[in-house]
Amino acid sequence: MTEKIGVLGKKSLQRTGVERIVNAPLPTVYGQFRAVGYLDHDRGDEQVALVHGDIGSEGVLTRLHSECLTGDAFGSQHCECGDQLASALKAVVAEGSGIVVYLRGHEGRGIGLLAKLRAMALQAEGLDTVEANLALGLPVDARDYGVAAGILQDLGVNSVRLMSNNPRKREALVQHGIEVAETVPLLIPPCESNITYLRTKRERLDHVLPHLDAVAHLS
């Protein structure tokens, strides 16, 4: 928490960091969760962690899922996001405990929904996902995982088994004080609509996607 000088010269308190606001039961098609809602005072985003079972503090099966409206809600095959979210929720239920942190403000690797759609239009014209962002004058990946680390710390988590194919997520958590005991692959079978996108993520963004080698016939 920091002090801010108001327009009348009086000191007022301005909250910083992430604050837990609510903890509500959330029955889903995958199983019973607790939806723990947070407010990120630095960015103004509302965040949520879906918690299943007694998570403990060490080696907690965890997914940091970047918001993706097109994939998560509309079933887009341009990416694998919707399938990854469903697989992560199923995995923590099968494990008996775990966390899926759903990170709002991460749409399009942090560039926002409309910019992501513009980038998708450029990809339809032949650019890859990296080239499209750069052509729009936008960063390739603008996501920050500090709020995710703050949420995990609030939940009492010291170390995680991280469901991710992206080594940058692991590095970010470690930088923010969360130990990553293991990286658990979250591999979704590709389709013709997303194979180019996935290959770009592997070749240019360092995602670990060994299963793509078995689908060379897709173009």
Side-chain angles (χ1 to χ4, degrees):
M1 184 180 295
T2 59
E3 288 187 341
K4 181 180 180 181
I5 305 299
V7 293
L8 299 180
K10 295 180 179 179
K11 291 183 178 180
S12 61
L13 293 179
Q14 181 183 41
R15 295 188 67 93
T16 58
V18 63
E19 178 188 8
R20 186 192 296 204
I21 302 296
V22 63
N23 185 341
L26 184 69
T28 76
V29 295
Y30 308 105
Q32 185 72 35
F33 288 85
R34 289 185 290 121
V36 187
Y38 292 87
L39 179 59
D40 177 359
H41 288 283
D42 297 317
R43 296 175 55 93
D45 293 325
E46 297 174 331
Q47 306 288 3
V48 64
L50 298 185
V51 180
H52 177 75
D54 182 7
I55 57 174
S57 62
E58 306 295 336
V60 181
L61 187 62
T62 300
R63 166 74 177 165
L64 308 183
H65 189 84
S66 294
E67 176 183 26
C68 177
L69 179 68
T70 50
D72 298 340
F74 302 150
S76 168
Q77 290 190 317
H78 181 270
C79 62
E80 80 279 41
C81 299
D83 287 333
Q84 283 190 316
L85 177 59
S87 294
L89 292 168
K90 291 175 182 176
V92 297
V93 171
E95 178 84 2
S97 65
I99 305 170
V100 175
V101 180
Y102 193 86
L103 292 165
R104 304 185 67 207
H106 277 204
E107 189 77 55
R109 297 196 300 275
I111 64 173
L113 177 60
L114 296 183
K116 181 179 84 168
L117 294 176
R118 291 172 65 199
M120 288 170 61
L122 291 177
Q123 290 171 65
E125 296 175 2
L127 299 186
D128 67 30
T129 183
V130 171
E131 294 165 343
N133 281 34
L134 295 176
L136 293 171
L138 298 170
V140 173
D141 193 336
R143 290 174 292 182
D144 180 86
Y145 296 97
V147 66
I151 288 171
L152 292 174
Q153 288 163 352
D154 177 75
L155 292 171
V157 174
N158 297 321
S159 72
V160 298
R161 292 162 51 225
L162 183 64
M163 289 185 282
S164 179
N165 309 318
N166 183 358
R168 297 181 188 183
K169 287 186 180 180
R170 178 188 186 118
E171 294 165 4
L173 280 185
V174 171
Q175 289 172 359
H176 287 287
I178 301 293
E179 179 186 349
V180 180
E182 179 186 1
T183 299
V184 180
L186 195 59
L187 304 176
I188 305 299
C191 65
E192 187 173 350
S193 297
N194 65 24
I195 186 63
T196 299
Y197 172 76
L198 293 175
R199 285 173 177 154
T200 300
K201 289 213 295 185
R202 181 172 70 170
E203 295 163 10
R204 304 195 64 178
L205 299 175
D206 301 323
H207 287 223
V208 182
L209 301 169
H211 66 311
L212 299 186
D213 294 332
V215 288
H217 63 284
L218 291 178
S219 60

PDB file of all heavy atoms in Angstrom, residues 11-45:
ATOM      1  N   LYS A  11      -2.852  13.725   2.264  1.00  0.00           N
ATOM      2  CA  LYS A  11      -2.389  12.383   1.945  1.00  0.00           C
ATOM      3  C   LYS A  11      -3.546  11.397   1.992  1.00  0.00           C
ATOM      4  O   LYS A  11      -4.347  11.406   2.920  1.00  0.00           O
ATOM      5  CB  LYS A  11      -1.296  11.934   2.925  1.00  0.00           C
ATOM      6  CG  LYS A  11       0.016  12.685   2.766  1.00  0.00           C
ATOM      7  CD  LYS A  11       1.060  12.131   3.709  1.00  0.00           C
ATOM      8  CE  LYS A  11       2.390  12.844   3.532  1.00  0.00           C
ATOM      9  NZ  LYS A  11       3.419  12.314   4.450  1.00  0.00           N
ATOM     10  N   SER A  12      -3.642  10.552   0.960  1.00  0.00           N
ATOM     11  CA  SER A  12      -4.648   9.493   0.949  1.00  0.00           C
ATOM     12  C   SER A  12      -3.968   8.181   0.601  1.00  0.00           C
ATOM     13  O   SER A  12      -2.921   8.168  -0.041  1.00  0.00           O
ATOM     14  CB  SER A  12      -5.753   9.797  -0.085  1.00  0.00           C
ATOM     15  OG  SER A  12      -5.201   9.885  -1.381  1.00  0.00           O
ATOM     16  N   LEU A  13      -4.550   7.098   1.036  1.00  0.00           N
ATOM     17  CA  LEU A  13      -3.953   5.792   0.803  1.00  0.00           C
ATOM     18  C   LEU A  13      -4.447   5.210  -0.510  1.00  0.00           C
ATOM     19  O   LEU A  13      -5.639   5.210  -0.797  1.00  0.00           O
ATOM     20  CB  LEU A  13      -4.286   4.848   1.964  1.00  0.00           C
ATOM     21  CG  LEU A  13      -3.648   5.212   3.313  1.00  0.00           C
ATOM     22  CD1 LEU A  13      -4.087   4.190   4.361  1.00  0.00           C
ATOM     23  CD2 LEU A  13      -2.137   5.253   3.216  1.00  0.00           C
ATOM     24  N   GLN A  14      -3.520   4.716  -1.304  1.00  0.00           N
ATOM     25  CA  GLN A  14      -3.860   4.061  -2.561  1.00  0.00           C
ATOM     26  C   GLN A  14      -3.343   2.633  -2.502  1.00  0.00           C
ATOM     27  O   GLN A  14      -2.141   2.410  -2.348  1.00  0.00           O
ATOM     28  CB  GLN A  14      -3.234   4.795  -3.749  1.00  0.00           C
ATOM     29  CG  GLN A  14      -3.564   4.165  -5.099  1.00  0.00           C
ATOM     30  CD  GLN A  14      -2.858   4.883  -6.228  1.00  0.00           C
ATOM     31  OE1 GLN A  14      -1.698   5.255  -6.114  1.00  0.00           O
ATOM     32  NE2 GLN A  14      -3.551   5.078  -7.331  1.00  0.00           N
ATOM     33  N   ARG A  15      -4.235   1.691  -2.610  1.00  0.00           N
ATOM     34  CA  ARG A  15      -3.843   0.287  -2.501  1.00  0.00           C
ATOM     35  C   ARG A  15      -3.069  -0.141  -3.734  1.00  0.00           C
ATOM     36  O   ARG A  15      -3.323   0.324  -4.844  1.00  0.00           O
ATOM     37  CB  ARG A  15      -5.067  -0.607  -2.327  1.00  0.00           C
ATOM     38  CG  ARG A  15      -5.825  -0.374  -1.031  1.00  0.00           C
ATOM     39  CD  ARG A  15      -6.897  -1.432  -0.842  1.00  0.00           C
ATOM     40  NE  ARG A  15      -6.297  -2.733  -0.616  1.00  0.00           N
ATOM     41  CZ  ARG A  15      -6.031  -3.239   0.592  1.00  0.00           C
ATOM     42  NH1 ARG A  15      -6.313  -2.548   1.666  1.00  0.00           N
ATOM     43  NH2 ARG A  15      -5.500  -4.432   0.727  1.00  0.00           N
ATOM     44  N   THR A  16      -2.129  -1.032  -3.525  1.00  0.00           N
ATOM     45  CA  THR A  16      -1.388  -1.625  -4.631  1.00  0.00           C
ATOM     46  C   THR A  16      -1.408  -3.140  -4.467  1.00  0.00           C
ATOM     47  O   THR A  16      -1.748  -3.668  -3.405  1.00  0.00           O
ATOM     48  CB  THR A  16       0.077  -1.145  -4.643  1.00  0.00           C
ATOM     49  OG1 THR A  16       0.697  -1.493  -3.393  1.00  0.00           O
ATOM     50  CG2 THR A  16       0.157   0.354  -4.849  1.00  0.00           C
ATOM     51  N   GLY A  17      -1.036  -3.843  -5.528  1.00  0.00           N
ATOM     52  CA  GLY A  17      -0.994  -5.301  -5.482  1.00  0.00           C
ATOM     53  C   GLY A  17      -2.368  -5.915  -5.657  1.00  0.00           C
ATOM     54  O   GLY A  17      -3.307  -5.285  -6.109  1.00  0.00           O
ATOM     55  N   VAL A  18      -2.465  -7.191  -5.282  1.00  0.00           N
ATOM     56  CA  VAL A  18      -3.685  -7.954  -5.492  1.00  0.00           C
ATOM     57  C   VAL A  18      -4.401  -8.168  -4.153  1.00  0.00           C
ATOM     58  O   VAL A  18      -3.765  -8.447  -3.141  1.00  0.00           O
ATOM     59  CB  VAL A  18      -3.377  -9.300  -6.181  1.00  0.00           C
ATOM     60  CG1 VAL A  18      -2.486 -10.183  -5.316  1.00  0.00           C
ATOM     61  CG2 VAL A  18      -4.646 -10.037  -6.553  1.00  0.00           C
ATOM     62  N   GLU A  19      -5.711  -8.016  -4.170  1.00  0.00           N
ATOM     63  CA  GLU A  19      -6.509  -8.146  -2.950  1.00  0.00           C
ATOM     64  C   GLU A  19      -7.617  -9.177  -3.160  1.00  0.00           C
ATOM     65  O   GLU A  19      -8.369  -9.098  -4.140  1.00  0.00           O
ATOM     66  CB  GLU A  19      -7.141  -6.797  -2.584  1.00  0.00           C
ATOM     67  CG  GLU A  19      -8.036  -6.853  -1.348  1.00  0.00           C
ATOM     68  CD  GLU A  19      -8.799  -5.560  -1.114  1.00  0.00           C
ATOM     69  OE1 GLU A  19      -8.761  -4.667  -1.993  1.00  0.00           O
ATOM     70  OE2 GLU A  19      -9.447  -5.450  -0.050  1.00  0.00           O
ATOM     71  N   ARG A  20      -7.718 -10.124  -2.211  1.00  0.00           N
ATOM     72  CA  ARG A  20      -8.818 -11.086  -2.288  1.00  0.00           C
ATOM     73  C   ARG A  20     -10.127 -10.395  -1.902  1.00  0.00           C
ATOM     74  O   ARG A  20     -10.209  -9.739  -0.874  1.00  0.00           O
ATOM     75  CB  ARG A  20      -8.573 -12.261  -1.348  1.00  0.00           C
ATOM     76  CG  ARG A  20      -9.630 -13.353  -1.511  1.00  0.00           C
ATOM     77  CD  ARG A  20      -9.583 -14.393  -0.407  1.00  0.00           C
ATOM     78  NE  ARG A  20      -8.344 -15.148  -0.381  1.00  0.00           N
ATOM     79  CZ  ARG A  20      -8.234 -16.367   0.144  1.00  0.00           C
ATOM     80  NH1 ARG A  20      -9.298 -16.960   0.662  1.00  0.00           N
ATOM     81  NH2 ARG A  20      -7.064 -16.982   0.169  1.00  0.00           N
ATOM     82  N   ILE A  21     -11.143 -10.570  -2.748  1.00  0.00           N
ATOM     83  CA  ILE A  21     -12.420  -9.907  -2.539  1.00  0.00           C
ATOM     84  C   ILE A  21     -13.515 -10.887  -2.125  1.00  0.00           C
ATOM     85  O   ILE A  21     -14.337 -10.590  -1.260  1.00  0.00           O
ATOM     86  CB  ILE A  21     -12.876  -9.166  -3.825  1.00  0.00           C
ATOM     87  CG1 ILE A  21     -11.813  -8.135  -4.246  1.00  0.00           C
ATOM     88  CG2 ILE A  21     -14.232  -8.504  -3.627  1.00  0.00           C
ATOM     89  CD1 ILE A  21     -11.595  -7.026  -3.244  1.00  0.00           C
ATOM     90  N   VAL A  22     -13.543 -12.088  -2.706  1.00  0.00           N
ATOM     91  CA  VAL A  22     -14.659 -13.000  -2.481  1.00  0.00           C
ATOM     92  C   VAL A  22     -14.203 -14.434  -2.701  1.00  0.00           C
ATOM     93  O   VAL A  22     -13.270 -14.706  -3.465  1.00  0.00           O
ATOM     94  CB  VAL A  22     -15.843 -12.662  -3.424  1.00  0.00           C
ATOM     95  CG1 VAL A  22     -15.451 -12.839  -4.886  1.00  0.00           C
ATOM     96  CG2 VAL A  22     -17.093 -13.460  -3.088  1.00  0.00           C
ATOM     97  N   ASN A  23     -14.871 -15.357  -2.013  1.00  0.00           N
ATOM     98  CA  ASN A  23     -14.617 -16.789  -2.157  1.00  0.00           C
ATOM     99  C   ASN A  23     -15.988 -17.453  -2.241  1.00  0.00           C
ATOM    100  O   ASN A  23     -16.737 -17.462  -1.259  1.00  0.00           O
ATOM    101  CB  ASN A  23     -13.823 -17.294  -0.946  1.00  0.00           C
ATOM    102  CG  ASN A  23     -13.405 -18.753  -1.082  1.00  0.00           C
ATOM    103  OD1 ASN A  23     -13.964 -19.502  -1.864  1.00  0.00           O
ATOM    104  ND2 ASN A  23     -12.418 -19.142  -0.288  1.00  0.00           N
ATOM    105  N   ALA A  24     -16.331 -17.988  -3.417  1.00  0.00           N
ATOM    106  CA  ALA A  24     -17.675 -18.528  -3.625  1.00  0.00           C
ATOM    107  C   ALA A  24     -17.604 -19.935  -4.213  1.00  0.00           C
ATOM    108  O   ALA A  24     -16.736 -20.228  -5.035  1.00  0.00           O
ATOM    109  CB  ALA A  24     -18.465 -17.623  -4.578  1.00  0.00           C
ATOM    110  N   PRO A  25     -18.507 -20.832  -3.798  1.00  0.00           N
ATOM    111  CA  PRO A  25     -18.547 -22.162  -4.407  1.00  0.00           C
ATOM    112  C   PRO A  25     -18.958 -22.070  -5.865  1.00  0.00           C
ATOM    113  O   PRO A  25     -19.817 -21.263  -6.234  1.00  0.00           O
ATOM    114  CB  PRO A  25     -19.603 -22.898  -3.575  1.00  0.00           C
ATOM    115  CG  PRO A  25     -20.447 -21.818  -2.985  1.00  0.00           C
ATOM    116  CD  PRO A  25     -19.547 -20.647  -2.768  1.00  0.00           C
ATOM    117  N   LEU A  26     -18.328 -22.888  -6.716  1.00  0.00           N
ATOM    118  CA  LEU A  26     -18.636 -22.880  -8.141  1.00  0.00           C
ATOM    119  C   LEU A  26     -18.709 -24.313  -8.670  1.00  0.00           C
ATOM    120  O   LEU A  26     -17.686 -24.900  -9.029  1.00  0.00           O
ATOM    121  CB  LEU A  26     -17.587 -22.091  -8.917  1.00  0.00           C
ATOM    122  CG  LEU A  26     -17.849 -21.930 -10.422  1.00  0.00           C
ATOM    123  CD1 LEU A  26     -19.042 -21.011 -10.658  1.00  0.00           C
ATOM    124  CD2 LEU A  26     -16.621 -21.389 -11.139  1.00  0.00           C
ATOM    125  N   PRO A  27     -19.902 -24.887  -8.708  1.00  0.00           N
ATOM    126  CA  PRO A  27     -20.035 -26.209  -9.330  1.00  0.00           C
ATOM    127  C   PRO A  27     -19.917 -26.070 -10.842  1.00  0.00           C
ATOM    128  O   PRO A  27     -20.499 -25.158 -11.440  1.00  0.00           O
ATOM    129  CB  PRO A  27     -21.447 -26.649  -8.918  1.00  0.00           C
ATOM    130  CG  PRO A  27     -22.190 -25.374  -8.659  1.00  0.00           C
ATOM    131  CD  PRO A  27     -21.188 -24.381  -8.175  1.00  0.00           C
ATOM    132  N   THR A  28     -19.125 -26.941 -11.468  1.00  0.00           N
ATOM    133  CA  THR A  28     -18.941 -26.895 -12.915  1.00  0.00           C
ATOM    134  C   THR A  28     -19.154 -28.288 -13.506  1.00  0.00           C
ATOM    135  O   THR A  28     -19.281 -29.280 -12.772  1.00  0.00           O
ATOM    136  CB  THR A  28     -17.521 -26.424 -13.287  1.00  0.00           C
ATOM    137  OG1 THR A  28     -16.589 -27.501 -13.059  1.00  0.00           O
ATOM    138  CG2 THR A  28     -17.099 -25.212 -12.462  1.00  0.00           C
ATOM    139  N   VAL A  29     -19.153 -28.363 -14.828  1.00  0.00           N
ATOM    140  CA  VAL A  29     -19.287 -29.665 -15.491  1.00  0.00           C
ATOM    141  C   VAL A  29     -18.065 -30.538 -15.239  1.00  0.00           C
ATOM    142  O   VAL A  29     -18.104 -31.753 -15.440  1.00  0.00           O
ATOM    143  CB  VAL A  29     -19.508 -29.499 -17.010  1.00  0.00           C
ATOM    144  CG1 VAL A  29     -20.829 -28.805 -17.283  1.00  0.00           C
ATOM    145  CG2 VAL A  29     -18.354 -28.732 -17.653  1.00  0.00           C
ATOM    146  N   TYR A  30     -16.972 -29.929 -14.782  1.00  0.00           N
ATOM    147  CA  TYR A  30     -15.746 -30.680 -14.519  1.00  0.00           C
ATOM    148  C   TYR A  30     -15.673 -31.163 -13.069  1.00  0.00           C
ATOM    149  O   TYR A  30     -14.997 -32.147 -12.779  1.00  0.00           O
ATOM    150  CB  TYR A  30     -14.518 -29.796 -14.821  1.00  0.00           C
ATOM    151  CG  TYR A  30     -14.562 -29.188 -16.192  1.00  0.00           C
ATOM    152  CD1 TYR A  30     -14.870 -27.843 -16.363  1.00  0.00           C
ATOM    153  CD2 TYR A  30     -14.315 -29.954 -17.326  1.00  0.00           C
ATOM    154  CE1 TYR A  30     -14.923 -27.270 -17.623  1.00  0.00           C
ATOM    155  CE2 TYR A  30     -14.362 -29.397 -18.597  1.00  0.00           C
ATOM    156  CZ  TYR A  30     -14.677 -28.061 -18.745  1.00  0.00           C
ATOM    157  OH  TYR A  30     -14.741 -27.504 -19.994  1.00  0.00           O
ATOM    158  N   GLY A  31     -16.343 -30.462 -12.173  1.00  0.00           N
ATOM    159  CA  GLY A  31     -16.298 -30.797 -10.766  1.00  0.00           C
ATOM    160  C   GLY A  31     -16.558 -29.564  -9.917  1.00  0.00           C
ATOM    161  O   GLY A  31     -16.871 -28.482 -10.429  1.00  0.00           O
ATOM    162  N   GLN A  32     -16.407 -29.730  -8.613  1.00  0.00           N
ATOM    163  CA  GLN A  32     -16.684 -28.646  -7.668  1.00  0.00           C
ATOM    164  C   GLN A  32     -15.435 -27.793  -7.457  1.00  0.00           C
ATOM    165  O   GLN A  32     -14.364 -28.308  -7.125  1.00  0.00           O
ATOM    166  CB  GLN A  32     -17.142 -29.224  -6.326  1.00  0.00           C
ATOM    167  CG  GLN A  32     -17.565 -28.181  -5.315  1.00  0.00           C
ATOM    168  CD  GLN A  32     -18.901 -27.521  -5.672  1.00  0.00           C
ATOM    169  OE1 GLN A  32     -19.789 -28.167  -6.208  1.00  0.00           O
ATOM    170  NE2 GLN A  32     -19.020 -26.244  -5.380  1.00  0.00           N
ATOM    171  N   PHE A  33     -15.593 -26.494  -7.624  1.00  0.00           N
ATOM    172  CA  PHE A  33     -14.492 -25.562  -7.415  1.00  0.00           C
ATOM    173  C   PHE A  33     -14.910 -24.469  -6.436  1.00  0.00           C
ATOM    174  O   PHE A  33     -16.100 -24.268  -6.183  1.00  0.00           O
ATOM    175  CB  PHE A  33     -14.074 -24.899  -8.736  1.00  0.00           C
ATOM    176  CG  PHE A  33     -13.349 -25.806  -9.683  1.00  0.00           C
ATOM    177  CD1 PHE A  33     -14.054 -26.641 -10.546  1.00  0.00           C
ATOM    178  CD2 PHE A  33     -11.966 -25.824  -9.733  1.00  0.00           C
ATOM    179  CE1 PHE A  33     -13.390 -27.486 -11.423  1.00  0.00           C
ATOM    180  CE2 PHE A  33     -11.292 -26.658 -10.616  1.00  0.00           C
ATOM    181  CZ  PHE A  33     -12.008 -27.489 -11.454  1.00  0.00           C
ATOM    182  N   ARG A  34     -13.919 -23.759  -5.928  1.00  0.00           N
ATOM    183  CA  ARG A  34     -14.131 -22.481  -5.259  1.00  0.00           C
ATOM    184  C   ARG A  34     -13.614 -21.397  -6.194  1.00  0.00           C
ATOM    185  O   ARG A  34     -12.474 -21.478  -6.677  1.00  0.00           O
ATOM    186  CB  ARG A  34     -13.372 -22.414  -3.937  1.00  0.00           C
ATOM    187  CG  ARG A  34     -13.927 -23.305  -2.841  1.00  0.00           C
ATOM    188  CD  ARG A  34     -13.191 -23.082  -1.536  1.00  0.00           C
ATOM    189  NE  ARG A  34     -11.818 -23.586  -1.557  1.00  0.00           N
ATOM    190  CZ  ARG A  34     -10.739 -22.845  -1.345  1.00  0.00           C
ATOM    191  NH1 ARG A  34     -10.861 -21.539  -1.102  1.00  0.00           N
ATOM    192  NH2 ARG A  34      -9.542 -23.386  -1.364  1.00  0.00           N
ATOM    193  N   ALA A  35     -14.457 -20.414  -6.483  1.00  0.00           N
ATOM    194  CA  ALA A  35     -14.026 -19.275  -7.296  1.00  0.00           C
ATOM    195  C   ALA A  35     -13.567 -18.181  -6.340  1.00  0.00           C
ATOM    196  O   ALA A  35     -14.375 -17.591  -5.621  1.00  0.00           O
ATOM    197  CB  ALA A  35     -15.169 -18.780  -8.173  1.00  0.00           C
ATOM    198  N   VAL A  36     -12.269 -17.951  -6.303  1.00  0.00           N
ATOM    199  CA  VAL A  36     -11.694 -16.948  -5.415  1.00  0.00           C
ATOM    200  C   VAL A  36     -11.402 -15.704  -6.261  1.00  0.00           C
ATOM    201  O   VAL A  36     -10.555 -15.739  -7.161  1.00  0.00           O
ATOM    202  CB  VAL A  36     -10.416 -17.457  -4.734  1.00  0.00           C
ATOM    203  CG1 VAL A  36      -9.936 -16.454  -3.687  1.00  0.00           C
ATOM    204  CG2 VAL A  36     -10.661 -18.823  -4.091  1.00  0.00           C
ATOM    205  N   GLY A  37     -12.144 -14.629  -5.998  1.00  0.00           N
ATOM    206  CA  GLY A  37     -12.046 -13.431  -6.811  1.00  0.00           C
ATOM    207  C   GLY A  37     -11.102 -12.406  -6.220  1.00  0.00           C
ATOM    208  O   GLY A  37     -11.083 -12.178  -5.003  1.00  0.00           O
ATOM    209  N   TYR A  38     -10.320 -11.779  -7.088  1.00  0.00           N
ATOM    210  CA  TYR A  38      -9.312 -10.803  -6.670  1.00  0.00           C
ATOM    211  C   TYR A  38      -9.446  -9.519  -7.473  1.00  0.00           C
ATOM    212  O   TYR A  38      -9.919  -9.524  -8.614  1.00  0.00           O
ATOM    213  CB  TYR A  38      -7.900 -11.361  -6.908  1.00  0.00           C
ATOM    214  CG  TYR A  38      -7.535 -12.516  -6.019  1.00  0.00           C
ATOM    215  CD1 TYR A  38      -7.866 -13.823  -6.378  1.00  0.00           C
ATOM    216  CD2 TYR A  38      -6.860 -12.312  -4.822  1.00  0.00           C
ATOM    217  CE1 TYR A  38      -7.535 -14.895  -5.568  1.00  0.00           C
ATOM    218  CE2 TYR A  38      -6.522 -13.379  -3.998  1.00  0.00           C
ATOM    219  CZ  TYR A  38      -6.861 -14.667  -4.381  1.00  0.00           C
ATOM    220  OH  TYR A  38      -6.529 -15.722  -3.564  1.00  0.00           O
ATOM    221  N   LEU A  39      -8.975  -8.429  -6.881  1.00  0.00           N
ATOM    222  CA  LEU A  39      -8.840  -7.176  -7.590  1.00  0.00           C
ATOM    223  C   LEU A  39      -7.367  -6.812  -7.664  1.00  0.00           C
ATOM    224  O   LEU A  39      -6.674  -6.759  -6.647  1.00  0.00           O
ATOM    225  CB  LEU A  39      -9.606  -6.060  -6.872  1.00  0.00           C
ATOM    226  CG  LEU A  39      -9.518  -4.665  -7.506  1.00  0.00           C
ATOM    227  CD1 LEU A  39     -10.048  -4.684  -8.944  1.00  0.00           C
ATOM    228  CD2 LEU A  39     -10.278  -3.644  -6.669  1.00  0.00           C
ATOM    229  N   ASP A  40      -6.888  -6.593  -8.888  1.00  0.00           N
ATOM    230  CA  ASP A  40      -5.521  -6.140  -9.118  1.00  0.00           C
ATOM    231  C   ASP A  40      -5.540  -4.614  -9.063  1.00  0.00           C
ATOM    232  O   ASP A  40      -5.981  -3.948  -9.998  1.00  0.00           O
ATOM    233  CB  ASP A  40      -5.044  -6.631 -10.488  1.00  0.00           C
ATOM    234  CG  ASP A  40      -3.652  -6.144 -10.848  1.00  0.00           C
ATOM    235  OD1 ASP A  40      -3.054  -5.398 -10.051  1.00  0.00           O
ATOM    236  OD2 ASP A  40      -3.173  -6.493 -11.950  1.00  0.00           O
ATOM    237  N   HIS A  41      -5.081  -4.068  -7.950  1.00  0.00           N
ATOM    238  CA  HIS A  41      -5.145  -2.619  -7.755  1.00  0.00           C
ATOM    239  C   HIS A  41      -4.205  -1.857  -8.688  1.00  0.00           C
ATOM    240  O   HIS A  41      -4.423  -0.680  -8.954  1.00  0.00           O
ATOM    241  CB  HIS A  41      -4.821  -2.267  -6.302  1.00  0.00           C
ATOM    242  CG  HIS A  41      -5.904  -2.638  -5.344  1.00  0.00           C
ATOM    243  ND1 HIS A  41      -7.062  -1.913  -5.205  1.00  0.00           N
ATOM    244  CD2 HIS A  41      -6.021  -3.687  -4.480  1.00  0.00           C
ATOM    245  CE1 HIS A  41      -7.841  -2.467  -4.297  1.00  0.00           C
ATOM    246  NE2 HIS A  41      -7.233  -3.551  -3.837  1.00  0.00           N
ATOM    247  N   ASP A  42      -3.181  -2.517  -9.194  1.00  0.00           N
ATOM    248  CA  ASP A  42      -2.231  -1.839 -10.065  1.00  0.00           C
ATOM    249  C   ASP A  42      -2.802  -1.615 -11.469  1.00  0.00           C
ATOM    250  O   ASP A  42      -2.580  -0.572 -12.074  1.00  0.00           O
ATOM    251  CB  ASP A  42      -0.926  -2.643 -10.156  1.00  0.00           C
ATOM    252  CG  ASP A  42      -0.231  -2.753  -8.810  1.00  0.00           C
ATOM    253  OD1 ASP A  42      -0.178  -1.738  -8.098  1.00  0.00           O
ATOM    254  OD2 ASP A  42       0.234  -3.852  -8.471  1.00  0.00           O
ATOM    255  N   ARG A  43      -3.536  -2.604 -11.987  1.00  0.00           N
ATOM    256  CA  ARG A  43      -4.067  -2.507 -13.346  1.00  0.00           C
ATOM    257  C   ARG A  43      -5.581  -2.311 -13.392  1.00  0.00           C
ATOM    258  O   ARG A  43      -6.135  -1.984 -14.432  1.00  0.00           O
ATOM    259  CB  ARG A  43      -3.706  -3.778 -14.138  1.00  0.00           C
ATOM    260  CG  ARG A  43      -2.218  -3.982 -14.354  1.00  0.00           C
ATOM    261  CD  ARG A  43      -1.945  -5.322 -15.025  1.00  0.00           C
ATOM    262  NE  ARG A  43      -2.676  -5.468 -16.269  1.00  0.00           N
ATOM    263  CZ  ARG A  43      -2.192  -5.156 -17.471  1.00  0.00           C
ATOM    264  NH1 ARG A  43      -0.957  -4.675 -17.571  1.00  0.00           N
ATOM    265  NH2 ARG A  43      -2.899  -5.328 -18.558  1.00  0.00           N
ATOM    266  N   GLY A  44      -6.247  -2.570 -12.266  1.00  0.00           N
ATOM    267  CA  GLY A  44      -7.696  -2.442 -12.234  1.00  0.00           C
ATOM    268  C   GLY A  44      -8.439  -3.667 -12.717  1.00  0.00           C
ATOM    269  O   GLY A  44      -9.665  -3.653 -12.799  1.00  0.00           O
ATOM    270  N   ASP A  45      -7.717  -4.732 -13.056  1.00  0.00           N
ATOM    271  CA  ASP A  45      -8.355  -5.953 -13.567  1.00  0.00           C
ATOM    272  C   ASP A  45      -8.964  -6.768 -12.434  1.00  0.00           C
ATOM    273  O   ASP A  45      -8.424  -6.823 -11.319  1.00  0.00           O
ATOM    274  CB  ASP A  45      -7.334  -6.831 -14.308  1.00  0.00           C
ATOM    275  CG  ASP A  45      -6.835  -6.196 -15.593  1.00  0.00           C
ATOM    276  OD1 ASP A  45      -7.641  -5.520 -16.255  1.00  0.00           O
ATOM    277  OD2 ASP A  45      -5.647  -6.379 -15.923  1.00  0.00           O
TER     278      ASP A  45
END
